[in-house]
Amino acid sequence: MFPSQSNIYGLCKADEQELLPATLKGKVVCFRYQDLQKKIRPVAREIQFTYIPVDAEIVSIDAKKKKTSSSKKYVRVHAFFCCLYLSVSFSSRDSGDKATPFLNIYCDYEPGSEFNLESICTCLNLELQFTPFQLYHIEYVIGALWRSSETVFLLSGHDQRIQLYKENASLHQFEEQPVERLFPELQELPSNVLWLNVLSIEQNRRLTAFGCQNGSVGLSLVNQKGPEILQNWRVKHESPICTVLLFPSKQQHQSTDTNSSQRESFHLLVTSAIEMAVVYRDVERYGLSRQLCLAESDQCDAVLCALVVDLDFDGQHELFLPVCTIMCLICDLQDLLCYKFHQPMGAFEDKLQLLWRWSFKSPLLSLIYLDLDGDGLRELAILTLKGLLRTTADLVIHILSTLVSRLPISPKDPHTHTHTHTLKNQDSEEESISIINEPRTAATQH
């Protein structure tokens, strides 16, 4: 449980095994699992970042760990970005009670064998001229041979622009730079951007998607070497866009010699405040012209977040949508919908099928998929209105039991084996759960 609620921009990964949820009342918590006396136990501690006043509200948070090496030493560089909106300004005595937004950039440039969040003391404090929204980082390809990359951060706001922050290696700090130098597709935006997503693809190209407050959705195909915009697409929805997510998939297609083969295509998931969630198919080829609606996603008032991952290890992605309705807020329940592509017999192309829905006791704000306990299998971390769900044991058991019931496995099959995991449910009670795995090892899938 948190001292105050968070929001849709309030959860990020500090490392592959650490989560950083932030609350609106200026508190940042580091959550991870530790092996204590041969038992995996959750540990949560508040991080005391400097230059965060007691009356600050954290609007968004993002983090990226960067590793650099030299001939003499190995340096771990960690950059933590907290986007702050202060209820009382401390930059000017004349501003009175006027609210002033700031961007705090926390970096650690000291060499060391292990990084500790508590030791970060370097902070760059930047006053903003706009109300911030999403803070997003991306690995940008650089160098003559385009084999290296560096991290840049993008911040959207209510001024209908996106700000770019890039590291100045010689000065050991981040600086604001014109966004058009690296991201020309993010100029002349139709409205305030609420969500941004960038996906690098083959041949040094990228797909950039954004969703706006006025319902506009933008998609661009960009050659990163220029950078040069190869193609732009735009479409208009009827309500504010909550999430845009680009994701790949393998599709069967028939070649001229009647032999079928797989081709990687890229799709765009779009969720909005009051409309049905949609997936735009094969956007690299068709842009935003091929729309596929998600059944029952319109039976809600808003989809605040979304996630696309392969949760059941079958090589195909599942689409997760938490749906929120007025009744959910009244009765304190919210559903998580799971969709999957399937191709009906005789159909020309596959469809999205609603597999199941799962109810939670609080509205869901953010989803992250990562290996929290370091056992080689990733977990689904869920940020809710009331706090962070530390495990999803019931959800995983429900999925695996459904899959196992469909497998025609003999009890004497030598490849079938049982693992016992110690998990902690939402009520903090330890449970020993036996799970029958599929014949192939699930841990090798991630």
Side-chain angles (χ1 to χ4, degrees):
M1 297 292 292
F2 293 152
S4 64
Q5 71 181 55
S6 184
N7 64 9
I8 61 174
Y9 306 128
L11 181 65
C12 72
K13 292 194 298 184
D15 202 346
E16 187 57 34
Q17 296 182 22
E18 286 185 337
L19 282 174
L20 283 181
T23 68
L24 293 180
K25 295 302 182 182
K27 304 297 183 181
V28 180
V29 179
C30 178
F31 178 84
R32 65 175 302 162
Y33 279 86
Q34 289 185 352
D35 189 355
L36 301 175
Q37 299 179 352
K38 298 182 179 181
K39 289 185 178 181
I40 301 297
R41 297 183 181 276
V43 176
R45 70 183 190 278
E46 182 181 341
I47 304 300
Q48 300 294 333
F49 285 112
T50 57
Y51 298 104
I52 300 183
V54 294
D55 53 358
E57 296 181 357
I58 300 182
V59 175
S60 60
I61 183 171
D62 196 12
K64 174 62 180 177
K65 181 174 70 175
K66 177 184 177 183
K67 295 181 181 180
T68 59
S69 60
S70 63
S71 57
K72 296 183 179 180
K73 62 182 180 180
Y74 180 82
V75 181
R76 279 189 165 184
V77 181
H78 293 67
F80 293 87
F81 287 64
C82 293
C83 194
L84 308 177
Y85 189 82
L86 306 183
S87 59
V88 178
S89 169
F90 58 82
S91 64
S92 173
R93 294 182 179 178
D94 299 331
S95 60
D97 294 334
K98 181 181 177 181
T100 303
F102 285 85
L103 174 65
N104 281 13
I105 304 174
Y106 299 91
C107 303
D108 182 17
Y109 290 99
E110 297 299 326
S113 58
E114 187 65 27
F115 174 74
N116 185 3
L117 283 173
E118 304 284 357
S119 67
I120 294 183
C121 56
T122 303
C123 175
L124 176 63
N125 184 255
L126 302 176
E127 183 174 351
L128 305 177
Q129 302 302 319
F130 57 91
T131 302
F133 295 148
Q134 184 195 19
L135 186 60
Y136 181 81
H137 74 266
I138 179 177
E139 294 291 324
Y140 186 80
V141 181
I142 59 173
L145 300 177
W146 297 89
R147 294 178 179 176
S148 60
S149 63
E150 63 178 344
T151 301
V152 296
F153 286 81
L154 299 168
L155 177 62
S156 62
H158 88 295
D159 60 347
Q160 203 167 310
R161 297 177 57 197
I162 292 181
Q163 308 295 329
L164 170 68
Y165 299 91
K166 185 174 177 291
E167 183 184 17
N168 186 326
S170 60
L171 298 178
H172 289 304
Q173 68 179 25
F174 283 81
E175 298 175 343
E176 181 180 348
Q177 296 189 5
V179 70
E180 58 269 17
R181 291 184 182 178
L182 302 182
F183 297 88
E185 67 272 28
L186 297 180
Q187 299 182 89
E188 300 178 0
L189 300 170
S191 178
N192 301 330
V193 173
L194 300 182
W195 203 270
L196 174 71
N197 190 234
V198 182
L199 179 65
S200 295
I201 59 179
E202 71 283 351
Q203 300 175 354
N204 291 318
R205 297 178 300 161
R206 69 170 178 259
L207 288 166
T208 302
F210 60 82
C212 297
Q213 190 172 2
N214 70 347
S216 296
V217 175
L219 176 68
S220 301
L221 179 63
V222 180
N223 182 353
Q224 300 191 82
K225 287 187 176 181
E228 175 190 4
I229 300 176
L230 302 178
Q231 198 161 359
N232 274 328
W233 298 275
R234 297 289 186 272
V235 70
K236 184 74 161 53
H237 288 242
E238 298 300 325
S239 62
I241 303 301
C242 298
T243 309
V244 291
L245 282 180
L246 290 158
F247 63 97
S249 71
K250 297 288 187 179
Q251 289 186 324
Q252 294 285 345
H253 75 281
Q254 203 75 15
S255 59
T256 55
D257 57 359
T258 68
N259 293 326
S260 62
S261 59
Q262 284 193 336
R263 178 181 66 86
E264 187 175 47
S265 58
F266 302 94
H267 314 298
L268 176 64
L269 171 63
V270 177
T271 69
S272 59
I274 60 175
E275 294 179 89
M276 179 178 290
V278 300
V279 170
Y280 292 97
R281 305 293 306 275
D282 202 352
V283 294
E284 187 183 2
R285 279 188 171 188
Y286 302 103
L288 301 176
S289 62
R290 299 182 64 193
Q291 185 185 96
L292 182 62
C293 297
L294 279 68
E296 298 188 28
S297 63
D298 59 340
Q299 300 178 6
C300 60
D301 297 317
V303 179
L304 299 180
C305 59
L307 182 68
V308 181
V309 294
D310 178 15
L311 193 64
D312 56 8
F313 316 117
D314 67 346
Q316 297 182 4
H317 288 92
E318 286 81 37
L319 281 64
F320 295 92
L321 298 182
V323 296
C324 180
T325 66
I326 297 298
M327 287 303 298
C328 288
L329 297 177
I330 294 176
C331 63
D332 207 20
L333 288 175
Q334 178 158 339
D335 286 343
L336 179 64
L337 307 182
C338 177
Y339 296 85
K340 196 178 187 69
F341 284 105
H342 82 291
Q343 188 164 359
M345 186 69 64
F348 177 73
E349 63 179 4
D350 51 3
K351 305 293 184 181
L352 274 171
Q353 178 185 12
L354 178 60
L355 293 184
W356 46 261
R357 60 196 308 151
W358 199 262
S359 295
F360 290 83
K361 295 182 179 180
S362 179
L364 311 185
L365 301 177
S366 182
L367 306 172
I368 287 186
Y369 191 52
L370 77 167
D371 182 12
L372 268 174
D373 52 14
D375 64 351
L377 292 174
R378 297 185 180 183
E379 288 77 41
L380 186 62
I382 303 176
L383 179 66
T384 75
L385 196 63
K386 295 183 178 180
L388 184 69
L389 297 185
R390 296 176 292 185
T391 63
T392 53
D394 294 338
L395 176 60
V396 173
I397 293 172
H398 172 75
I399 297 172
L400 293 180
S401 62
T402 303
L403 293 173
V404 169
S405 65
R406 299 173 183 173
L407 296 176
I409 300 177
S410 170
K412 297 181 180 180
D413 191 336
H415 298 289
T416 303
H417 52 281
T418 301
H419 289 302
T420 300
H421 296 270
T422 300
L423 301 174
K424 192 175 284 282
N425 64 11
Q426 298 176 16
D427 296 326
S428 302
E429 296 175 358
E430 292 185 359
E431 293 182 349
S432 181
I433 304 170
S434 297
I435 301 176
I436 301 178
N437 288 345
E438 296 183 63
R440 52 194 174 91
T441 304
T444 61
Q445 303 299 316
H446 298 270

